[in-house]
Amino acid sequence: RCPTGGSRRKSENKQPHKFTTRPTQQLTLTMKLATVVLFLACLMGDANAFTVRPAPAVSTMLNAGMAQPETQIKTKTKVEVQTKQKVEIKKKAQTGEPVSRRDEEFQDAPMFKLMLLSDDGYDGEHVVTRMCAIVEDLDEDAAGTIFQQAMQEGKAMCGKYPFERAEMFKEQLIRSDPMIFADLEEENA
């Protein structure tokens, strides 16, 4: 007997048990399952696990007789053509001498003669030592010869220098104590 008062057989009452849930519970379970699957895919490091990819091409006997272009040869040809064009451009750019945009010709700086002037009050030894100290390219023998020539002829050339340097030598000789007289003359005068 059934506790509710009816009489039913146990065999009639047994039906195969079905898992029944409400629609919102099914949606929640589906979302949870999808979340778990995505989480596991991320853990495995395959970010593209759920990406839709085209099916690989299957070669069949129907395509066996058809000519198929070789992609690699076309790519190589393009690279070779570009390389040849670059080489030709480089050759065109490298031929010839560099173009000078300024046709100005520089002239050498005018040279001036440093002249030692004679004076009766000179002490020969003092003049020679001061000339050797001031004018770097003179030694004692050359300075002695220049001093003797200046005393005989009235003036003698010590050397040829650019204007600024010759003027500096002249000023240093004049500032010596006792004073040594010097002058500048243009080379082509």
Side-chain angles (χ1 to χ4, degrees):
R1 241 178 194 264
C2 186
T4 57
S7 65
R8 288 189 186 172
R9 290 186 190 170
K10 287 187 177 182
S11 61
E12 290 176 3
N13 204 12
K14 281 191 177 180
Q15 294 178 353
H17 182 66
K18 292 183 181 176
F19 182 70
T20 58
T21 57
R22 294 183 200 141
T24 55
Q25 286 179 337
Q26 284 180 349
L27 182 62
T28 305
L29 285 174
T30 307
M31 290 177 62
K32 285 181 182 179
L33 182 62
T35 306
V36 169
V37 170
L38 285 174
F39 178 72
L40 290 175
C42 289
L43 282 178
M44 294 171 62
D46 190 9
N48 296 324
F50 297 102
T51 305
V52 177
R53 296 183 188 138
V58 179
S59 65
T60 61
M61 293 303 287
L62 295 174
N63 292 334
M66 295 177 64
Q68 295 180 2
E70 295 181 14
T71 311
Q72 293 178 350
I73 292 175
K74 287 182 180 179
T75 305
K76 289 182 182 178
T77 305
K78 289 179 183 178
V79 172
E80 288 176 9
V81 170
Q82 290 175 354
T83 306
K84 287 179 183 178
Q85 289 174 351
K86 288 179 183 177
V87 169
E88 289 175 7
I89 291 171
K90 287 181 182 177
K91 285 181 183 177
K92 288 179 184 177
Q94 291 178 355
T95 57
E97 295 295 319
V99 178
S100 175
R101 295 195 174 144
R102 294 184 182 178
D103 292 334
E104 300 174 11
E105 292 185 22
F106 294 102
Q107 296 178 357
D108 293 333
M111 301 298 277
F112 286 83
K113 298 177 190 176
L114 176 64
M115 305 298 288
L116 176 66
L117 302 176
S118 68
D119 187 32
D120 292 336
Y122 283 154
D123 177 26
E125 193 174 323
H126 168 71
V127 173
V128 170
T129 55
R130 287 301 296 154
M131 284 178 62
C132 290
I134 294 170
V135 184
E136 298 104 17
D137 56 346
L138 287 179
D139 59 355
E140 285 187 22
D141 293 335
T145 305
I146 293 170
F147 176 72
Q148 290 297 326
Q149 186 180 1
M151 295 308 285
Q152 291 173 357
E153 298 175 12
K155 62 182 178 180
M157 184 179 76
C158 299
K160 295 179 186 177
Y161 306 101
F163 178 74
E164 290 83 11
R165 192 164 183 204
E167 188 176 36
M168 178 189 70
F169 290 151
K170 173 188 159 192
E171 292 297 323
Q172 288 179 345
L173 286 171
I174 292 175
R175 290 181 184 168
S176 298
D177 188 30
M179 185 184 301
I180 300 172
F181 296 104
D183 195 16
L184 298 178
E185 292 180 3
E186 225 178 315
E187 181 181 22
N188 297 330

Coordinates of all heavy atoms in Angstrom, one line a residue, residues 119-186:
D119 N 121.1 99.8 -37.7 CA 121.2 100.9 -36.8 C 122.6 100.9 -36.2 O 123.1 99.8 -35.9 CB 120.1 100.8 -35.7 CG 120.1 102.1 -34.9 OD1 120.4 103.2 -35.3 OD2 119.7 101.9 -33.7
D120 N 123.2 102.1 -36.0 CA 124.6 102.2 -35.5 C 124.6 101.7 -34.0 O 125.7 101.3 -33.5 CB 125.1 103.6 -35.6 CG 125.4 103.9 -37.1 OD1 125.5 103.0 -37.9 OD2 125.3 105.1 -37.4
G121 N 123.5 101.8 -33.3 CA 123.5 101.5 -31.9 C 123.3 100.0 -31.5 O 123.2 99.6 -30.3
Y122 N 123.3 99.1 -32.5 CA 123.0 97.7 -32.2 C 124.2 97.1 -31.6 O 125.4 97.3 -32.0 CB 122.7 96.9 -33.5 CG 121.3 97.1 -34.1 CD1 121.1 97.0 -35.5 CD2 120.2 97.4 -33.3 CE1 119.9 97.1 -36.0 CE2 119.0 97.6 -33.9 CZ 118.8 97.4 -35.2 OH 117.6 97.5 -35.8
D123 N 123.9 96.2 -30.6 CA 124.9 95.3 -30.1 C 124.7 94.0 -30.9 O 123.6 93.4 -30.8 CB 124.7 95.1 -28.6 CG 125.7 94.1 -28.0 OD1 126.8 93.9 -28.6 OD2 125.3 93.4 -27.0
G124 N 125.6 93.5 -31.6 CA 125.5 92.3 -32.5 C 125.0 91.1 -31.8 O 124.2 90.3 -32.3
E125 N 125.6 90.8 -30.6 CA 125.3 89.6 -29.8 C 123.8 89.7 -29.4 O 123.1 88.7 -29.5 CB 126.2 89.5 -28.6 CG 126.1 88.2 -28.0 CD 127.1 88.0 -26.9 OE1 128.3 88.5 -27.0 OE2 126.8 87.4 -25.8
H126 N 123.3 90.8 -28.9 CA 121.9 91.0 -28.5 C 121.0 90.8 -29.7 O 120.0 90.1 -29.5 CB 121.8 92.4 -27.9 CG 120.3 92.7 -27.7 ND1 119.5 92.2 -26.7 CD2 119.5 93.6 -28.3 CE1 118.3 92.6 -26.7 NE2 118.3 93.6 -27.7
V127 N 121.3 91.3 -30.8 CA 120.4 91.2 -32.0 C 120.3 89.8 -32.4 O 119.2 89.2 -32.7 CB 120.9 92.1 -33.2 CG1 120.1 91.9 -34.4 CG2 120.8 93.6 -32.8
V128 N 121.4 89.1 -32.5 CA 121.4 87.7 -32.9 C 120.6 86.8 -31.9 O 119.8 85.9 -32.4 CB 122.9 87.1 -33.1 CG1 122.9 85.6 -33.3 CG2 123.5 87.8 -34.3
T129 N 120.8 86.9 -30.6 CA 120.1 86.1 -29.7 C 118.6 86.4 -29.7 O 117.8 85.5 -29.6 CB 120.6 86.3 -28.2 OG1 120.6 87.7 -27.9 CG2 122.0 85.8 -28.1
R130 N 118.2 87.7 -29.8 CA 116.8 88.0 -29.9 C 116.1 87.5 -31.1 O 115.0 87.0 -31.1 CB 116.6 89.5 -29.8 CG 116.8 90.1 -28.4 CD 115.9 89.6 -27.3 NE 114.5 89.9 -27.5 CZ 113.5 89.2 -27.1 NH1 113.7 88.1 -26.3 NH2 112.3 89.5 -27.3
M131 N 116.8 87.6 -32.3 CA 116.3 87.1 -33.5 C 116.0 85.6 -33.5 O 115.0 85.1 -33.9 CB 117.2 87.4 -34.7 CG 117.1 88.9 -35.1 SD 118.2 89.3 -36.5 CE 117.6 88.2 -37.8
C132 N 117.0 84.9 -32.8 CA 116.9 83.4 -32.7 C 115.7 83.0 -31.8 O 115.0 82.1 -32.0 CB 118.1 82.8 -32.2 SG 119.5 82.8 -33.3
A133 N 115.5 83.8 -30.7 CA 114.4 83.6 -29.8 C 113.0 83.9 -30.4 O 112.0 83.2 -30.1 CB 114.6 84.4 -28.5
I134 N 112.9 84.9 -31.2 CA 111.6 85.3 -31.7 C 111.2 84.6 -33.0 O 110.1 84.0 -33.1 CB 111.6 86.9 -32.0 CG1 111.7 87.6 -30.6 CG2 110.4 87.3 -32.7 CD1 112.0 89.1 -30.8
V135 N 112.1 84.5 -33.9 CA 111.9 83.8 -35.2 C 112.3 82.4 -35.1 O 113.5 82.1 -35.0 CB 112.6 84.6 -36.4 CG1 112.2 83.9 -37.7 CG2 112.2 86.0 -36.4
E136 N 111.4 81.4 -35.0 CA 111.7 80.0 -34.7 C 112.6 79.4 -35.8 O 113.4 78.5 -35.4 CB 110.5 79.2 -34.6 CG 109.6 79.6 -33.5 CD 108.3 80.4 -34.0 OE1 108.0 80.3 -35.2 OE2 107.7 81.1 -33.2
D137 N 112.5 79.7 -37.1 CA 113.2 79.0 -38.1 C 114.6 79.6 -38.4 O 115.3 79.2 -39.3 CB 112.4 78.9 -39.4 CG 112.0 80.3 -39.9 OD1 112.1 81.3 -39.1 OD2 111.5 80.4 -41.0
L138 N 115.1 80.5 -37.5 CA 116.5 81.0 -37.6 C 117.4 80.4 -36.5 O 117.0 80.3 -35.4 CB 116.5 82.5 -37.4 CG 115.9 83.4 -38.5 CD1 116.0 84.9 -38.2 CD2 116.6 83.1 -39.8
D139 N 118.6 80.0 -37.0 CA 119.6 79.6 -36.0 C 120.6 80.7 -35.9 O 120.5 81.7 -36.5 CB 120.2 78.2 -36.4 CG 120.9 78.3 -37.8 OD1 120.8 79.4 -38.4 OD2 121.6 77.3 -38.2
E140 N 121.6 80.5 -35.0 CA 122.6 81.6 -34.7 C 123.4 81.9 -36.0 O 123.7 83.1 -36.2 CB 123.5 81.2 -33.6 CG 122.9 81.2 -32.2 CD 123.8 81.0 -31.1 OE1 125.1 81.2 -31.3 OE2 123.4 80.6 -30.0
D141 N 123.8 81.0 -36.8 CA 124.6 81.3 -38.0 C 123.8 82.1 -39.0 O 124.3 83.1 -39.5 CB 125.1 80.0 -38.6 CG 126.1 79.2 -37.8 OD1 126.8 79.8 -37.0 OD2 126.2 78.0 -38.0
A142 N 122.5 81.7 -39.2 CA 121.7 82.5 -40.2 C 121.4 83.9 -39.6 O 121.4 84.8 -40.4 CB 120.4 81.7 -40.4
A143 N 121.2 84.0 -38.3 CA 120.9 85.3 -37.7 C 122.1 86.2 -37.8 O 122.0 87.4 -38.1 CB 120.4 85.1 -36.3
G144 N 123.3 85.6 -37.6 CA 124.6 86.4 -37.7 C 124.8 86.9 -39.1 O 125.2 88.0 -39.3
T145 N 124.5 86.0 -40.1 CA 124.6 86.4 -41.5 C 123.7 87.5 -41.9 O 124.0 88.5 -42.5 CB 124.4 85.2 -42.4 OG1 125.2 84.1 -42.0 CG2 124.6 85.5 -43.9
I146 N 122.4 87.4 -41.4 CA 121.4 88.4 -41.7 C 121.8 89.8 -41.0 O 121.7 90.8 -41.6 CB 120.0 88.0 -41.2 CG1 119.5 86.8 -42.0 CG2 119.0 89.1 -41.2 CD1 118.3 86.1 -41.5
F147 N 122.4 89.7 -39.8 CA 122.8 90.9 -39.1 C 123.9 91.6 -39.9 O 123.9 92.8 -40.1 CB 123.3 90.6 -37.7 CG 123.8 91.8 -36.9 CD1 123.0 92.8 -36.5 CD2 125.2 91.9 -36.7 CE1 123.5 93.9 -35.8 CE2 125.7 93.0 -36.1 CZ 124.9 94.0 -35.6
Q148 N 124.9 90.8 -40.3 CA 126.0 91.4 -41.1 C 125.5 92.0 -42.4 O 126.0 93.1 -42.8 CB 127.1 90.3 -41.4 CG 127.8 89.8 -40.3 CD 128.7 90.9 -39.6 OE1 129.2 91.8 -40.3 NE2 128.8 90.8 -38.3
Q149 N 124.6 91.4 -43.1 CA 124.1 91.9 -44.4 C 123.3 93.2 -44.1 O 123.4 94.2 -44.9 CB 123.2 90.8 -45.0 CG 122.7 91.2 -46.4 CD 121.8 90.1 -47.0 OE1 121.5 89.1 -46.4 NE2 121.3 90.4 -48.2
A150 N 122.5 93.3 -43.0 CA 121.8 94.5 -42.7 C 122.7 95.6 -42.4 O 122.4 96.8 -42.8 CB 120.8 94.2 -41.5
M151 N 123.8 95.4 -41.7 CA 124.8 96.4 -41.4 C 125.5 97.0 -42.6 O 125.8 98.1 -42.7 CB 125.8 95.9 -40.4 CG 125.2 95.6 -39.0 SD 124.2 96.9 -38.3 CE 125.4 98.0 -37.7
Q152 N 125.7 96.1 -43.6 CA 126.4 96.5 -44.8 C 125.4 97.2 -45.8 O 125.8 98.2 -46.4 CB 127.0 95.3 -45.5 CG 128.2 94.7 -44.8 CD 128.7 93.5 -45.4 OE1 128.2 93.0 -46.4 NE2 129.8 92.9 -44.8
E153 N 124.2 96.7 -46.0 CA 123.3 97.2 -47.1 C 122.2 98.1 -46.5 O 121.5 98.7 -47.3 CB 122.7 96.0 -47.8 CG 123.8 95.1 -48.5 CD 123.2 93.9 -49.2 OE1 121.9 93.8 -49.3 OE2 123.9 93.0 -49.6
G154 N 122.0 98.1 -45.2 CA 121.0 98.9 -44.7 C 119.7 98.1 -44.2 O 119.0 98.5 -43.3
K155 N 119.5 97.0 -44.9 CA 118.4 96.1 -44.5 C 118.7 94.7 -45.1 O 119.4 94.6 -46.1 CB 117.1 96.6 -44.9 CG 116.9 96.8 -46.4 CD 115.5 97.3 -46.7 CE 115.3 97.5 -48.2 NZ 114.0 98.0 -48.6
A156 N 118.1 93.7 -44.4 CA 118.3 92.3 -44.8 C 117.0 91.5 -44.6 O 116.3 91.8 -43.6 CB 119.4 91.7 -44.1
M157 N 116.7 90.6 -45.4 CA 115.5 89.8 -45.3 C 115.7 88.6 -44.3 O 116.6 87.9 -44.5 CB 115.0 89.2 -46.6 CG 113.7 88.5 -46.5 SD 113.1 87.8 -48.1 CE 114.2 86.4 -48.3
C158 N 114.8 88.5 -43.3 CA 114.9 87.4 -42.3 C 114.1 86.2 -42.8 O 114.4 85.1 -42.3 CB 114.3 87.9 -41.0 SG 115.2 89.3 -40.2
G159 N 113.0 86.4 -43.6 CA 112.2 85.3 -44.1 C 110.9 85.8 -44.7 O 110.6 87.0 -44.6
K160 N 110.1 84.9 -45.3 CA 108.8 85.2 -45.9 C 107.8 84.5 -45.1 O 107.8 83.3 -44.9 CB 108.8 84.7 -47.4 CG 109.7 85.4 -48.3 CD 109.6 84.9 -49.7 CE 110.6 85.5 -50.6 NZ 110.5 84.9 -52.0
Y161 N 106.7 85.3 -44.7 CA 105.7 84.7 -43.8 C 104.4 85.3 -44.2 O 104.3 86.4 -44.8 CB 106.0 85.1 -42.4 CG 107.3 84.7 -41.9 CD1 108.4 85.6 -41.8 CD2 107.6 83.4 -41.5 CE1 109.6 85.2 -41.4 CE2 108.8 83.0 -41.1 CZ 109.9 83.9 -41.0 OH 111.1 83.5 -40.6
P162 N 103.2 84.7 -43.9 CA 101.9 85.3 -44.0 C 101.9 86.6 -43.2 O 102.6 86.8 -42.2 CB 100.9 84.3 -43.5 CG 101.6 83.0 -43.5 CD 103.1 83.3 -43.4
F163 N 101.0 87.5 -43.6 CA 101.0 88.8 -43.0 C 100.9 88.8 -41.5 O 101.7 89.5 -40.8 CB 99.8 89.7 -43.6 CG 99.7 91.0 -43.0 CD1 100.6 92.0 -43.3 CD2 98.7 91.3 -42.0 CE1 100.5 93.3 -42.7 CE2 98.6 92.6 -41.5 CZ 99.5 93.6 -41.8
E164 N 100.0 88.1 -40.9 CA 99.8 88.1 -39.4 C 101.0 87.6 -38.7 O 101.5 88.2 -37.7 CB 98.6 87.2 -39.0 CG 97.2 87.7 -39.4 CD 96.9 87.4 -40.9 OE1 97.6 86.6 -41.5 OE2 95.9 88.0 -41.4
R165 N 101.7 86.6 -39.2 CA 102.8 86.0 -38.6 C 104.0 87.0 -38.7 O 104.8 87.2 -37.8 CB 103.2 84.7 -39.2 CG 104.2 83.9 -38.4 CD 104.2 82.5 -38.7 NE 105.2 81.8 -37.9 CZ 105.8 80.7 -38.2 NH1 105.5 80.1 -39.4 NH2 106.6 80.1 -37.4
A166 N 104.2 87.6 -39.9 CA 105.3 88.5 -40.1 C 105.1 89.8 -39.2 O 106.1 90.3 -38.7 CB 105.3 88.9 -41.6
E167 N 103.9 90.2 -39.1 CA 103.6 91.4 -38.3 C 103.9 91.1 -36.8 O 104.4 91.9 -36.1 CB 102.1 91.8 -38.4 CG 101.8 93.1 -37.7 CD 100.4 93.5 -38.0 OE1 99.5 92.6 -38.1 OE2 100.1 94.7 -38.1
M168 N 103.6 89.8 -36.3 CA 103.9 89.5 -35.0 C 105.4 89.5 -34.7 O 105.9 90.0 -33.7 CB 103.3 88.0 -34.7 CG 103.6 87.6 -33.3 SD 103.2 85.8 -33.0 CE 104.4 85.0 -34.0
F169 N 106.2 88.9 -35.7 CA 107.6 88.9 -35.5 C 108.2 90.3 -35.5 O 109.0 90.7 -34.6 CB 108.3 88.2 -36.7 CG 108.1 86.7 -36.6 CD1 108.1 85.9 -37.8 CD2 107.9 86.0 -35.4 CE1 107.9 84.6 -37.8 CE2 107.7 84.6 -35.4 CZ 107.7 83.9 -36.6
K170 N 107.7 91.2 -36.3 CA 108.1 92.6 -36.4 C 107.8 93.3 -35.0 O 108.7 94.0 -34.4 CB 107.4 93.4 -37.5 CG 107.6 94.8 -37.5 CD 106.7 95.5 -38.5 CE 106.6 97.0 -38.2 NZ 105.6 97.6 -38.9
E171 N 106.6 93.1 -34.5 CA 106.2 93.8 -33.2 C 107.1 93.2 -32.1 O 107.5 94.0 -31.2 CB 104.7 93.5 -32.9 CG 103.8 94.2 -33.8 CD 103.9 95.7 -33.7 OE1 104.1 96.3 -32.6 OE2 103.8 96.4 -34.8
Q172 N 107.4 92.0 -32.0 CA 108.2 91.4 -31.0 C 109.7 92.0 -31.0 O 110.3 92.2 -30.0 CB 108.2 89.9 -31.0 CG 106.9 89.3 -30.5 CD 106.9 87.8 -30.6 OE1 107.8 87.2 -31.2 NE2 105.9 87.2 -29.9
L173 N 110.2 92.1 -32.3 CA 111.5 92.7 -32.4 C 111.6 94.1 -31.9 O 112.5 94.6 -31.3 CB 112.0 92.6 -33.9 CG 112.4 91.2 -34.3 CD1 112.7 91.2 -35.8 CD2 113.6 90.6 -33.6
I174 N 110.5 94.9 -32.3 CA 110.5 96.3 -31.9 C 110.4 96.5 -30.4 O 110.9 97.4 -29.8 CB 109.4 97.0 -32.7 CG1 109.7 97.1 -34.1 CG2 109.1 98.4 -32.1 CD1 108.6 97.7 -35.0
R175 N 109.7 95.5 -29.7 CA 109.5 95.6 -28.3 C 110.7 95.1 -27.5 O 110.7 95.2 -26.2 CB 108.2 94.8 -27.9 CG 106.9 95.4 -28.3 CD 105.8 94.6 -27.9 NE 104.5 95.2 -28.5 CZ 103.4 94.6 -28.5 NH1 103.2 93.4 -28.0 NH2 102.3 95.2 -29.0
S176 N 111.7 94.6 -28.1 CA 112.9 94.2 -27.4 C 113.6 95.4 -26.8 O 113.4 96.5 -27.2 CB 113.9 93.6 -28.4 OG 113.3 92.4 -29.0
D177 N 114.3 95.1 -25.7 CA 115.1 96.2 -25.0 C 116.5 95.9 -25.1 O 117.0 94.9 -24.4 CB 114.6 96.3 -23.6 CG 115.1 97.5 -22.9 OD1 115.4 98.5 -23.5 OD2 115.3 97.4 -21.6
P178 N 117.3 96.6 -25.7 CA 117.1 97.7 -26.6 C 116.4 97.3 -27.9 O 116.4 96.2 -28.3 CB 118.5 98.2 -26.9 CG 119.4 97.1 -26.6 CD 118.8 96.2 -25.7
M179 N 115.7 98.3 -28.5 CA 114.8 98.1 -29.6 C 115.6 97.6 -30.8 O 116.7 98.1 -31.1 CB 114.1 99.4 -29.9 CG 113.1 99.3 -31.0 SD 112.3 100.8 -31.5 CE 111.6 101.3 -30.0
I180 N 115.0 96.6 -31.6 CA 115.5 96.2 -32.9 C 114.5 96.6 -33.9 O 113.4 96.2 -33.9 CB 115.7 94.6 -32.8 CG1 116.7 94.2 -31.7 CG2 116.2 94.2 -34.2 CD1 116.8 92.7 -31.5
F181 N 115.0 97.4 -34.9 CA 114.1 97.9 -35.9 C 113.9 96.9 -37.0 O 114.8 96.2 -37.5 CB 114.7 99.2 -36.5 CG 114.8 100.3 -35.5 CD1 116.1 100.6 -35.0 CD2 113.7 101.0 -35.1 CE1 116.2 101.6 -34.0 CE2 113.9 102.0 -34.2 CZ 115.1 102.3 -33.7
A182 N 112.6 96.7 -37.4 CA 112.2 95.8 -38.4 C 111.1 96.4 -39.2 O 110.4 97.3 -38.8 CB 111.8 94.4 -37.8
D183 N 110.9 95.8 -40.4 CA 109.8 96.3 -41.3 C 109.3 95.2 -42.1 O 109.9 94.1 -42.2 CB 110.4 97.4 -42.2 CG 109.3 98.3 -42.9 OD1 108.2 98.2 -42.4 OD2 109.6 98.9 -43.9
L184 N 108.1 95.4 -42.7 CA 107.5 94.4 -43.6 C 107.5 94.9 -45.0 O 107.2 96.1 -45.2 CB 106.1 94.0 -43.2 CG 105.9 93.4 -41.8 CD1 104.4 93.2 -41.5 CD2 106.7 92.1 -41.6
E185 N 107.7 94.1 -46.0 CA 107.6 94.4 -47.4 C 106.8 93.3 -48.1 O 106.9 92.1 -47.8 CB 108.9 94.5 -48.1 CG 109.8 95.7 -47.6 CD 111.1 95.8 -48.3 OE1 111.4 94.9 -49.2 OE2 111.9 96.6 -48.0
E186 N 105.9 93.7 -49.0 CA 105.2 92.7 -49.8 C 106.1 91.9 -50.7 O 107.1 92.5 -51.2 CB 104.1 93.4 -50.6 CG 102.8 92.7 -50.5 CD 101.7 93.3 -51.3 OE1 101.5 94.6 -51.2 OE2 100.9 92.6 -52.0

